[in-house]
Amino acid sequence: MFVELIAAFVAGIAAAGVVMLINRFLGGRLPRWFAPVAAGVAMIATTIANEYGWFSRTKDALPDGIVVAQTIENTAIYRPWTYVEPFVERFVAVDVRSIRSHPDRPDEKLGETYFFGRWSPVSKINVIADCAGNRRAALTDGISFESDGAVTGAEWVKVPSGDPIVSTICGVE
């Protein structure tokens, strides 16, 4: 966040400097308000570019084997440009290398999921997906596995068909 703030300030100073340089070559014909307006526009443009570029930069930095399962886009009244093109504010990624299942329960798969947010730390949660029953459960305290692979104590959530997290976990062989 601090780096993006510095980038916005640098963009504003650079834009004002360019306008002042152009004004010098034009013999002072530009209005005096033009430099601060250019600085403000450059700062806003830099902030918008950082918002829209966050997802692709973060996704490109993910290690091999981590697949983006779901993206959550955002619009806001104080960001009117987001109504034209919403930006990705959060996303869920699954580590497909971590997916495993018990031989007695091949329709239930366990995988590590990561929750990324624009201004929040990354959260990692192990999720078990019941591919046949179209449901999933986060592995938290109080959950245990029986010798046959059965899960006890899980709070299963029934999800609609095509749920991106269940689809991603169950789609890996």
Side-chain angles (χ1 to χ4, degrees):
M1 182 172 167
F2 182 71
V3 173
E4 291 181 11
L5 180 66
I6 297 299
F9 282 138
V10 168
I13 291 169
V18 167
V19 167
M20 286 191 282
L21 188 62
I22 291 171
N23 194 27
R24 175 171 273 215
F25 285 125
L26 294 177
R29 292 185 181 140
L30 292 177
R32 295 181 59 126
W33 55 264
F34 204 69
V37 168
V41 168
M43 292 171 77
I44 291 172
T46 301
T47 302
I48 293 170
N50 281 331
E51 280 182 348
Y52 282 96
W54 171 80
F55 172 65
S56 61
R57 284 191 314 268
T58 306
K59 184 179 79 167
D60 293 344
L62 293 174
D64 291 337
I66 299 194
V67 176
V68 175
Q70 182 179 20
T71 59
I72 296 95
E73 295 180 336
N74 185 7
T75 58
I77 191 84
Y78 56 89
R79 296 179 187 140
W81 54 87
T82 60
Y83 288 101
V84 175
E85 179 71 31
F87 72 98
V88 176
E89 184 179 49
R90 298 177 288 147
F91 69 94
V92 180
V94 176
D95 185 355
V96 295
R97 298 167 302 175
S98 72
I99 296 173
R100 53 194 169 273
S101 62
H102 193 279
D104 294 340
R105 297 186 174 275
D107 285 338
E108 291 180 2
K109 294 184 178 183
L110 175 67
E112 295 174 355
T113 57
Y114 296 90
F115 295 85
F116 291 81
R118 175 87 169 98
W119 297 113
S120 59
V122 178
S123 300
K124 176 185 156 191
I125 299 175
N126 290 320
V127 172
I128 188 162
D130 182 359
C131 302
N134 222 19
R135 58 189 185 148
R136 68 178 183 218
L139 296 185
T140 57
D141 293 338
I143 293 179
S144 60
F145 291 91
E146 304 298 323
S147 61
D148 66 348
V151 180
T152 57
E155 292 185 30
W156 290 96
V157 176
K158 184 75 174 162
V159 295
S161 179
D163 177 70
I165 296 172
V166 172
S167 297
T168 303
I169 293 173
C170 294
V172 175
E173 293 299 324

